[in-house]
Amino acid sequence: MVKTAIVDDMDPNIVYSDGWVPVSTTYDNESYEFNSTMHHGSIEGLTISYRFRGTGITVFATLSQPGTYGTPGSTYSIDGGTPVQFNSSGEVILPYRKTYSHVPFYRSPQLSYGDHSILITIDNVSEAARRRYFFDFFAVSGVEDNDNAQGSSGGPGFTIVDDRDARVSFSNGGWLSSGGNSPDYLGTTTTSPTGSGAGSVVFSFTGTSISVYARAINDYGTENAAEFIIDPGTNQEITQYALVQGTSEKRSLPLLVLEGLVDGEHTIRVNALSQRSWFLDYFVYGTSTGAGVGGLNRAVRITAQGGRRRYRYGREHQYDNLYVQWRDGHLHTDDFKHRSLTAFPLHYGIGQTSS
């Protein structure tokens, strides 16, 4: 099966020239960089190079308030060819004073399947002016099952699946395809129906982890925006819910981040619950370091052997005597029953999501 693989900025096979600064956090509280990491550069002439196998590559970065700081410049060369300027296609609609992550700074043309290379060179950057280039991840298209999705870095990597992919099945009606705009992955989203049980999405995947990303608008109050059922109807079933709270629009918002499943085939069903629509953008699945044990799925964001968990977007919340808080690039939990503090590292673009 042909896939689109994510290669995080921290992948050891990406070659950075001297001067890049690795950052193990998101840009701000409403930015959701993949893996909660990025590299930023503010010296003209800095480069990034990477070799990949597939039929194309897209460069995703964070664009920081171009109306305030200006837009960093960059060029992109495939296989040593003529460099192409950032946004030469006009695809990126530049926001004025907002910051957006997951912005496609460059998409390669369709390439013949095989080994290729990309070279990124940045310009029009300034540390004093806070005009920096924030690199987040590559998306390599045309990756075959027997390819190593992350070059020679080991492991199968993670796969991103757009809401329009044929493997994503919508049922019960009410889901509406929407054009979206450039900050949405591939420029598309699907609008959820409103009301409890109004519609569902089914997606099958392999691996030990699954994430669901969406765009949300403003505060959804205390009602659940969505219900997520992993392996429905089996003895491995796990159910989780998402609350979305906050006062601003959120893009690439991780409604669900779950790992610790048994390594193998799984199905997720997403049920829309809210009286207000949200916008499904994409799924990310793959094999993470924490797999289920003893043939059991585990929801290891807060470890569970199945059953029900509720979680919400926000700075700090209490549920069933358990506090969860984003701090120092980790999700911290304070279990008042055992008075123990535990930190779980984040594996995707989490921002301030707790489970």
Side-chain angles (χ1 to χ4, degrees), residues 69-266:
Y69 306 130
T71 304
S74 51
T75 61
Y76 304 84
S77 173
I78 298 294
D79 297 334
T82 302
V84 176
Q85 293 284 339
F86 162 68
N87 207 25
S88 58
S89 66
E91 174 185 4
V92 178
I93 302 172
L94 298 176
Y96 186 60
R97 296 193 183 278
K98 296 196 68 172
T99 294
Y100 284 131
S101 62
H102 294 71
V103 178
F105 271 40
Y106 171 77
R107 296 185 197 275
S108 75
Q110 181 75 13
L111 307 172
S112 60
Y113 175 74
D115 293 329
H116 300 280
S117 65
I118 184 171
L119 175 66
I120 304 171
T121 306
I122 66 172
D123 56 63
N124 193 37
V125 289
S126 168
E127 185 65 28
R130 301 182 64 183
R131 189 170 58 253
R132 308 178 183 118
Y133 186 104
F134 294 94
F135 171 63
D136 192 1
F137 65 93
F138 294 117
V140 180
S141 56
V143 175
E144 302 282 354
D145 278 337
N146 59 347
D147 290 334
N148 190 327
Q150 298 189 17
S152 58
S153 61
F158 292 92
T159 300
I160 186 168
V161 178
D162 187 50
D163 61 297
R164 303 297 177 86
D165 192 284
R167 292 169 289 174
V168 180
S169 175
F170 297 89
S171 62
N172 298 339
W175 294 89
L176 298 175
S177 297
S178 51
N181 54 48
S182 58
D184 299 317
Y185 179 65
L186 297 187
T188 67
T189 58
T190 301
T191 306
S192 72
T194 57
S196 180
S200 61
V201 182
V202 176
F203 174 64
S204 296
F205 63 97
T206 59
T208 66
S209 66
I210 182 69
S211 303
V212 181
Y213 291 80
R215 174 159 52 92
I217 300 176
N218 297 322
D219 197 323
Y220 288 65
T222 59
E223 64 178 351
N224 292 313
E227 175 187 56
F228 306 94
I229 305 176
I230 311 299
D231 297 335
T234 73
N235 61 359
Q236 300 296 306
E237 181 177 308
I238 295 174
T239 302
Q240 298 200 357
Y241 297 87
L243 290 171
V244 179
Q245 296 181 324
T247 58
S248 62
E249 182 182 36
K250 307 163 190 67
R251 295 177 182 269
S252 294
L253 173 68
L255 288 181
L256 173 73
V257 177
L258 184 68
E259 60 182 27
L261 304 176
V262 173
D263 196 0
E265 297 182 358
H266 300 279

